[in-house]
Amino acid sequence: MSGARAVERIPPCSARAVELERGDELIVIDPEGQQVSDLVAFSRDDLDEYLSSGRSIDYASKLWLSTGDLLYSNRSRPMLAIVEDSCGRHDFTLTPCSKDTFAILYGETEGRPGCEGNLAQALAPYGIGVDRIPIAFNVFMHVSVDADTGRIAVLPPRSRPGDSIRLRAEMPLVVAMTACSAGQSNNFRYKPIDFGIERLGKP
Amino acid sequence: MSGARAVERIPPCSARAVELERGDELIVIDPEGQQVSDLVAFSRDDLDEYLSSGRSIDYASKLWLSTGDLLYSNRSRPMLAIVEDSCGRHDFTLTPCSKDTFAILYGETEGRPGCEGNLAQALAPYGIGVDRIPIAFNVFMHVSVDADTGRIAVLPPRSRPGDSIRLRAEMPLVVAMTACSAGQSNNFRYKPIDFGIERLGKP
């Protein structure tokens, strides 16, 4: 990690949106370990083009993406390339947690916005409403699959303090990311997420 | 299957859209065996509400849904209930095949529209464009997962001639479904899909 890069903090249970030029690198860091960051992306030039888990999984022929893999848009264009990954396990099958998730899965009635609500709030300046939040690239989220039954389990992340993933923008992007609000994904310790941007691209 | 129900045919490599009232039952049939039907759904009352694989997988805690499971919308409301399923294996992780899929995965340059293009054409009367085609419930599609590596493989469907799945509409819906155009999903024998609707709901 370059010392010249400023690191910013996403407080627990919140989200941030950033803009990237093609070539910029976004580093998402788990400062304390076992925390998840739900990440979504939209083409800055046409916000109807968005990160697609279904395309990315199909082209990679695997559920879990890591160094060397590409994250594709719904239009089958590369949006992000994973250029470094010290954790190695992320989920790309589940939608961001929401107040409904908390109610349906955990019986919670507080109405916390969850990652979905926090992403929508961060993306509101771009006119992207909650209905358009897709399945996220759930950085550091550890979901296991039983190959016989298809049963999944959300386990504590494998990320240790300081683990990070580095993503290179393959097109101008609006990216939003969270410090996840779901206890099940972060071993019930709601923690921050850090990030930095290396402005290597040309505006 | 009720004898009173008319069965309609979706010709190979095409799609159909139908409207369902709440309570209506849609039966999707594989008449010849080893064929896939990509199915998407939208709330007829508000087309911004759509079938969400990420929500459905999360609430069921499994990748592969069958009898007794619910298919949820992005707003966490049940859209369809699986009430019968003689095949038992369907995919819910991959986006419909498209001309880009064929180019990227198979080097095809003919520009066939694939399930994505066929679904968009069937949904055009509803003003739903290609960007809004989500990950489909890929009826009869057989995708295996390696639990250690996450590697997936698209295998020939397990469906035999006459296998079917029966889905009850839990809200008024626009549903579109295909006879799949991807050779890898149907063992390279492009075949039709049949369907019937039992109008049990009240308009």
Side-chain angles (χ1 to χ4, degrees):
Chain A
M1 304 197 309
S2 151
R5 188 189 63 248
V7 169
E8 296 186 63
R9 174 149 291 193
I10 304 173
C13 303
S14 69
R16 275 285 299 277
V18 298
E19 295 190 23
L20 302 176
E21 302 294 338
R22 180 187 167 128
D24 284 352
E25 294 186 1
L26 170 68
I27 305 95
V28 183
I29 305 153
D30 182 355
E32 301 181 16
Q34 295 199 332
Q35 176 56 312
V36 166
S37 180
D38 288 11
L39 183 149
V40 296
F42 298 82
S43 163
R44 203 180 59 193
D45 294 338
D46 182 348
L47 297 170
D48 285 339
E49 184 169 10
Y50 58 89
L51 184 64
S52 170
S53 59
R55 292 265 166 255
S56 304
I57 290 170
D58 204 4
Y59 297 145
S61 289
K62 56 186 171 184
L63 291 183
W64 306 317
L65 307 186
S66 187
T67 308
D69 291 322
L70 290 169
L71 280 58
Y72 282 86
S73 77
N74 59 318
R75 296 181 188 165
S76 292
R77 299 198 306 156
M79 296 191 107
L80 291 157
I82 304 178
V83 292
E84 284 177 15
D85 180 10
S86 69
C87 175
R89 185 64 171 262
H90 318 281
D91 172 70
F92 212 176
T93 60
L94 301 179
T95 32
C97 59
S98 70
K99 68 174 166 44
D100 298 310
T101 316
F102 298 145
I104 292 171
L105 288 179
Y106 313 128
E108 251 192 55
T109 54
E110 300 166 52
R112 294 191 300 136
C115 285
E116 185 185 68
N118 292 329
L119 288 167
Q121 185 176 40
L123 290 164
Y126 298 94
I128 296 169
V130 70
D131 280 330
R132 291 169 60 197
I133 305 294
I135 292 172
F137 183 57
N138 299 306
V139 176
F140 308 128
M141 189 175 187
H142 182 190
V143 176
S144 68
V145 177
D146 182 307
D148 294 323
T149 64
R151 187 150 289 279
I152 63 168
V154 178
L155 303 174
R158 290 185 175 169
S159 48
R160 296 147 303 176
D163 267 341
S164 66
I165 186 170
R166 179 186 288 255
L167 302 155
R168 184 181 64 230
E170 300 294 303
M171 61 171 72
L173 291 174
V174 176
V175 171
M177 59 202 147
T178 70
C180 181
S181 307
Q184 198 182 14
S185 342
N186 56 36
N187 210 7
F188 297 92
R189 292 187 54 237
Y190 307 92
K191 287 168 282 190
I193 285 288
D194 288 348
F195 72 94
I197 298 172
E198 295 195 350
R199 299 286 182 188
L200 304 167
K202 296 281 177 294
Chain B
M1 303 199 311
S2 151
R5 189 189 62 247
V7 168
E8 297 185 64
R9 175 149 290 194
I10 304 173
C13 304
S14 70
R16 273 285 297 279
V18 297
E19 295 190 23
L20 302 176
E21 301 294 340
R22 178 185 167 129
D24 284 352
E25 294 186 0
L26 170 68
I27 305 94
V28 183
I29 305 155
D30 182 355
E32 301 180 14
Q34 294 198 334
Q35 175 57 312
V36 166
S37 179
D38 288 11
L39 184 149
V40 296
F42 298 82
S43 164
R44 204 181 57 194
D45 294 337
D46 182 348
L47 297 169
D48 285 339
E49 184 169 10
Y50 59 88
L51 185 64
S52 169
S53 61
R55 292 266 167 255
S56 304
I57 290 170
D58 205 1
Y59 298 145
S61 289
K62 55 187 172 184
L63 290 184
W64 306 319
L65 306 188
S66 186
T67 308
D69 291 322
L70 290 169
L71 279 59
Y72 282 85
S73 77
N74 59 319
R75 295 180 189 166
S76 291
R77 299 198 306 155
M79 296 192 107
L80 291 159
I82 305 178
V83 292
E84 285 177 14
D85 179 11
S86 69
C87 175
R89 185 64 172 261
H90 318 281
D91 172 70
F92 213 176
T93 60
L94 301 179
T95 32
C97 59
S98 71
K99 68 173 166 46
D100 298 310
T101 316
F102 299 145
I104 292 172
L105 289 178
Y106 312 128
E108 249 192 57
T109 53
E110 299 167 54
R112 294 190 301 136
C115 286
E116 185 185 69
N118 291 330
L119 288 167
Q121 187 176 39
L123 290 164
Y126 299 94
I128 296 169
V130 71
D131 280 329
R132 291 168 59 196
I133 305 293
I135 292 174
F137 183 58
N138 299 306
V139 176
F140 309 127
M141 188 172 189
H142 184 188
V143 176
S144 68
V145 177
D146 182 307
D148 293 324
T149 63
R151 186 151 290 280
I152 63 168
V154 178
L155 303 174
R158 290 184 174 169
S159 48
R160 296 147 303 175
D163 268 341
S164 66
I165 185 169
R166 178 185 289 255
L167 301 156
R168 184 180 64 232
E170 300 294 302
M171 63 171 72
L173 291 174
V174 175
V175 171
M177 56 201 152
T178 70
C180 181
S181 308
Q184 197 182 13
S185 336
N186 55 36
N187 210 7
F188 297 92
R189 292 187 53 238
Y190 307 92
K191 286 168 283 190
I193 285 287
D194 288 348
F195 72 94
I197 298 173
E198 295 195 350
R199 298 288 182 187
L200 304 168
K202 298 282 179 292

